Amino acid sequence: MKQKELLSEAVHLAMESVEKGWGGPFGAVIERDGEIIARGQNRVLLTGDPTTHAEIESIRKAVQVLNPLAPTIPEEHQDESTLAYMPRPEDSPDPLPERARMLTGCSIYISGAPCPMCMSAIYWSRMDAVYYSCDLEATRKIGFDDAFQYEDFQRPLDDRRITVKQIHPEMGAAAYQTWTEKPDHHAY
């Protein structure tokens, strides 16, 4: 499929979300090798779950397509990682020699620019590219203002709109130490 066709499907999903009252005008498709492997649309109003954005929904579905053991891991696999490794790209500043593959080799097409939550999920999923139709300004004009979040993230923690404060670091350090000492931990 061509880029315009992929984006057209994302916009179709966005329109359906609006028409059915599921959520905002956001749709997404994830492709690999020119074929759609997952679709997602905003379902915040349908579910009441603020994380059910089109991008997150499509990532969850793509994972299920590419990793048949997800999301319900059979008991015989619950003590192991189901993620294949890939070598660190040559230009990567990553200190580890390899990481879990995630959605490398895939691209996402979205009706609107991703919010900070979705952009983070896209980075964590290791997709190769993001293509969107409407920018952050167009999204702000229809009542979805994500720009303030991008701006807020640049402020010092004690100057943000919500309280962000570290407490009892020694408590979390125990879990970090367990991870560090686990010889077979699977880097992702």
Side-chain angles (χ1 to χ4, degrees):
M1 295 181 83
K2 296 182 189 233
Q3 287 186 320
K4 191 171 184 180
E5 295 171 301
L6 294 162
L7 188 58
S8 177
E9 179 62 13
V11 170
H12 166 76
L13 292 166
M15 294 288 287
E16 182 180 49
S17 180
V18 171
E19 290 166 357
K20 293 193 175 196
W22 293 342
F26 307 106
V29 297
I30 296 178
E31 69 81 27
R32 183 173 71 170
D33 299 327
E35 298 295 324
I36 294 174
I37 62 167
R39 292 168 169 81
Q41 52 204 142
N42 188 289
R43 293 177 183 236
V44 172
L45 295 175
L46 178 68
T47 64
D49 179 347
T51 69
T52 56
H53 289 198
E55 299 91 331
I56 303 298
E57 293 292 291
S58 64
I59 289 169
R60 289 175 179 152
K61 290 174 184 173
V63 167
Q64 291 173 18
V65 167
L66 298 177
N67 183 358
L69 294 177
T72 308
I73 307 298
E75 189 173 332
E76 65 268 17
H77 294 289
Q78 289 190 4
D79 292 330
E80 63 188 49
S81 173
T82 61
L83 299 171
Y85 270 132
M86 62 176 247
R88 173 186 63 223
E90 286 186 33
D91 61 344
S92 173
D94 191 339
L96 297 180
E98 57 187 7
R99 292 267 184 189
R101 178 170 304 281
M102 302 293 190
L103 298 179
T104 301
C106 298
S107 297
I108 189 167
Y109 290 78
I110 316 162
S111 58
C115 74
M117 173 185 70
C118 293
M119 196 67 229
S120 292
I122 291 165
Y123 274 111
W124 279 112
S125 69
R126 294 194 180 82
M127 277 189 254
D128 295 352
V130 176
Y131 302 100
Y132 61 89
S133 182
C134 296
D135 64 14
L136 289 174
E137 180 60 20
T139 304
R140 184 195 62 76
K141 285 180 180 177
I142 65 164
F144 296 90
D145 188 2
D146 297 330
F148 84 91
Q149 293 175 32
Y150 282 110
E151 293 163 6
D152 210 42
F153 291 155
Q154 295 178 20
R155 295 179 181 186
L157 293 179
D158 60 352
D159 192 29
R160 296 208 181 159
R161 292 179 185 217
I162 64 172
T163 301
V164 181
K165 184 177 181 180
Q166 181 181 23
I167 61 171
H168 304 291
E170 71 283 357
M171 293 174 73
Y176 280 30
Q177 187 65 33
T178 300
W179 170 263
T180 302
E181 293 173 356
K182 185 175 178 9
D184 61 343
H185 70 259
H186 197 98
Y188 63 93

